[in-house]
Amino acid sequence: MKLVEPSLSEQTYETLREAILTGRIPGDTLWSDREIAARMQFSRTPIRDAVQRLAAEGLVEVIPRRGTRVLPLRTEDVREIHQIARALELEAATIIARLPERDLSAIEAAVIGMEEAIARADREEWVVADAAFHHAVVHGCGNGRLARLYDAQRSLTDRARYFALYLRELPVRSAEEHREMLNAIKVCDATRLATLYREHWDRTTKELLELVERHGTTVPVKAQ
Amino acid sequence: MKLVEPSLSEQTYETLREAILTGRIPGDTLWSDREIAARMQFSRTPIRDAVQRLAAEGLVEVIPRRGTRVLPLRTEDVREIHQIARALELEAATIIARLPERDLSAIEAAVIGMEEAIARADREEWVVADAAFHHAVVHGCGNGRLARLYDAQRSLTDRARYFALYLRELPVRSAEEHREMLNAIKVCDATRLATLYREHWDRTTKELLELVERHGTTVPVKAQ
DNA sequence: ACATTCTATCTGGCATACCAGTAGATGTGC
DNA sequence: GCACATCTACTGGTATGCCAGATAGAATGT
């Protein structure tokens, strides 16, 4: 076995993506590829490759002969992304509910994790368990494409969730809702599932939007 | 006003994408970017840009130091893509149904177009009307991201639909189902909508899969 | 003082050269 | 004839230089 170094293009992509999603590079920032190339000690080619991938994901916008702009996360974007995520996850949950041989242990474990996190008022643990729940659902339906699409969309709002974590109330209601979702999957009630998902995501969207609006349409710059 | 020539990268992308989706480049084809560059009279740079966009969409796979492979459309892919498309379109339809001021004229026109096409047994017209229906739904819900995602996913199965058009029965049932969907939107019955979409896409998927399986897992090569 | 024109400088798009790694052809020993 | 080592041609990844267009600020005219 040989250790394969990830390509420079891949390294650049990961670095920039992480920096944007955690808010280290604030929205509306304008840069040039030569600037990044100089900073990362690479040539422009792998940087251009990475930037184009980010542009395809909707994180940045390349303006010919002007520069590359980091797109700010607007309230409208959060609304759209959440609608998409809701639709995909509901589809996945419905598929799982109808599977003849389904394994709900991962989802069950996530729900228990959320309940324990709430009981201990541990926000960090809650985030982990929440992510585990959604991950278990979209990755458990047997549709890898759907899972990848979901992850790609949801990560776009990571910027907002990232700084919202400590600004909001303890998500007690959210934990309850996830327990209800699990029950609906168990009894294979598609209509109930649809209702639950609609309510859950509507509430989550509303909460996140309030935070985004209170702090402006862009995410505050975090310390480097 | 100045006419802006689309970039070479853009031209290459459009050309290759169209060639793949219509089946002119059959699945599993292996090529090199130098080969395309020579054929299109460009340098490798814009070709590499275009190929990377296609790779991000899942149409091709870039294998370092081997070549770029056109991914064949497998039955599993059709199933996954259709599940995603169903979820997104159902979400869009549900959103439209709940809009306070909704304009269903485009959807209504598409349904009428499908019914007329069936009456005249005009397959070409039916395809146009069918596309118009789905387009009106996903573009009418006020979520541009969802619409773009839907179009991107659905176009992936164009290869299959393209050659399936004249191999199947006249889609009489499909036209009826679309009429029922429109009615469900009108009376804002989300549960009924979900059921209709499930049945419609399940049937459509099954029909397409039968055709794909009968003709192998890849699309036959069309004459250039 | 202000509007306008011009120019230095910067941008992304593109062409090209080189590199390291792979596959298949070629050669070699049996 | 066949297994195996070697070698060659070709691949995508990367670095770099040039180009045309766009910008901002200096130079200019009023």
Side-chain angles (χ1 to χ4, degrees):
Chain A
M1 164 155 177
K2 185 194 295 189
L3 278 177
V4 178
E5 196 83 3
S7 68
L8 301 186
S9 166
E10 185 69 21
Q11 289 180 45
T12 309
Y13 170 77
E14 296 291 347
T15 304
L16 291 180
R17 186 168 203 279
E18 204 270 343
I20 294 172
L21 291 184
T22 58
R24 282 213 308 281
I25 303 179
D28 266 335
T29 308
L30 204 69
W31 71 47
S32 74
D33 50 8
R34 282 175 178 84
E35 193 180 328
I36 310 171
R39 190 183 298 253
M40 300 196 70
Q41 304 271 42
F42 301 151
S43 85
R44 291 173 55 210
T45 309
I47 273 76
R48 268 174 46 84
D49 290 351
V51 167
Q52 282 179 356
R53 284 179 66 182
L54 295 171
E57 283 181 45
L59 281 174
V60 305
E61 172 191 24
V62 177
I63 311 166
R65 289 162 206 102
R66 285 286 312 276
T68 299
R69 192 171 76 99
V70 178
L71 292 174
L73 186 65
R74 308 208 164 274
T75 57
E76 188 60 19
D77 299 325
V78 174
R79 197 181 60 78
E80 292 192 1
I81 292 165
H82 275 207
Q83 278 180 350
I84 293 168
R86 167 174 70 192
L88 293 178
E89 195 179 324
L90 171 59
E91 175 75 19
T94 309
I95 292 172
I96 291 178
R98 301 188 178 192
L99 283 180
E101 296 179 17
R102 62 200 189 189
D103 175 18
L104 302 182
S105 59
I107 303 177
E108 182 106 45
V111 170
I112 293 172
M114 292 172 80
E115 289 165 345
E116 287 179 357
I118 293 297
R120 277 187 265 157
D122 187 334
R123 285 177 154 77
E124 304 273 1
E125 188 189 332
W126 184 84
V127 167
V128 172
D130 180 59
F133 179 91
H134 298 287
H135 189 274
V137 170
V138 296
H139 283 80
C141 71
N143 187 331
R145 249 193 193 78
L146 188 151
R148 280 196 303 277
L149 221 54
Y150 177 88
D151 288 341
Q153 290 297 314
R154 196 151 196 268
S155 70
L156 293 178
T157 56
D158 279 350
R159 279 187 277 189
R161 255 196 308 281
Y162 191 71
F163 82 102
L165 181 55
Y166 289 95
L167 294 175
R168 69 176 175 197
E169 306 289 313
L170 203 62
V172 179
R173 179 80 194 99
S174 222
E176 296 168 2
E177 285 172 344
H178 285 90
R179 168 64 74 182
E180 292 179 48
M181 289 175 189
L182 174 59
N183 288 336
I185 292 176
K186 275 181 181 169
V187 300
C188 193
D189 186 341
T191 305
R192 176 90 181 117
L193 258 181
T195 305
L196 284 171
Y197 264 98
R198 186 155 300 280
E199 287 174 358
H200 174 67
W201 280 94
D202 277 353
R203 197 177 47 69
T204 306
T205 305
K206 193 162 156 259
E207 284 176 5
L208 197 57
L209 284 183
E210 278 170 9
L211 287 173
V212 170
E213 272 164 10
R214 196 180 309 156
H215 295 269
T217 55
T218 185
V219 178
V221 188
K222 300 279 296 186
Q224 189 109 17
Chain B
M1 166 158 178
K2 185 196 292 188
L3 279 177
V4 177
E5 196 84 3
S7 69
L8 301 186
S9 166
E10 185 67 23
Q11 289 179 44
T12 309
Y13 171 77
E14 295 291 347
T15 303
L16 290 181
R17 185 167 203 279
E18 204 270 344
I20 294 172
L21 291 184
T22 57
R24 280 213 309 281
I25 303 179
D28 265 335
T29 307
L30 203 68
W31 73 45
S32 75
D33 49 9
R34 283 176 177 82
E35 192 180 328
I36 310 171
R39 191 183 297 252
M40 299 195 72
Q41 305 270 43
F42 301 152
S43 88
R44 289 175 58 211
T45 309
I47 273 76
R48 269 175 46 83
D49 290 351
V51 166
Q52 281 179 355
R53 284 180 64 183
L54 295 171
E57 285 180 44
L59 282 174
V60 305
E61 173 192 25
V62 177
I63 311 166
R65 292 168 204 95
R66 286 285 312 279
T68 299
R69 193 170 76 99
V70 178
L71 292 174
L73 185 66
R74 309 209 163 273
T75 57
E76 188 60 18
D77 299 324
V78 174
R79 196 182 62 76
E80 291 193 1
I81 292 165
H82 275 208
Q83 278 180 351
I84 294 168
R86 169 175 68 192
L88 293 178
E89 194 179 323
L90 171 59
E91 176 75 19
T94 309
I95 291 172
I96 290 178
R98 300 187 178 193
L99 283 180
E101 295 180 18
R102 63 202 189 186
D103 175 20
L104 302 181
S105 59
I107 304 178
E108 182 104 47
V111 170
I112 293 173
M114 292 172 80
E115 288 166 347
E116 287 179 358
I118 294 297
R120 277 187 266 159
D122 187 335
R123 285 177 154 77
E124 304 274 1
E125 189 189 332
W126 184 83
V127 167
V128 172
D130 179 60
F133 179 91
H134 298 287
H135 188 274
V137 171
V138 296
H139 283 81
C141 70
N143 187 331
R145 251 194 191 77
L146 188 150
R148 280 196 303 277
L149 221 55
Y150 177 88
D151 288 340
Q153 289 297 315
R154 194 149 197 269
S155 70
L156 293 178
T157 56
D158 279 351
R159 280 187 276 190
R161 255 197 308 281
Y162 190 72
F163 82 101
L165 181 57
Y166 288 95
L167 294 174
R168 69 176 174 197
E169 305 288 313
L170 203 62
V172 179
R173 180 80 194 99
S174 222
E176 295 168 2
E177 285 172 344
H178 285 90
R179 168 64 73 181
E180 291 178 49
M181 290 175 188
L182 173 58
N183 288 336
I185 292 176
K186 276 182 182 168
V187 299
C188 192
D189 186 342
T191 306
R192 175 89 182 120
L193 258 181
T195 306
L196 284 172
Y197 264 97
R198 186 155 300 280
E199 286 174 359
H200 174 68
W201 280 94
D202 278 352
R203 196 176 49 68
T204 306
T205 306
K206 193 164 155 255
E207 285 176 5
L208 198 56
L209 284 183
E210 278 171 8
L211 288 172
V212 170
E213 272 165 11
R214 197 180 308 155
H215 295 268
T217 54
T218 185
V219 177
V221 189
K222 301 278 298 186
Q224 188 110 14

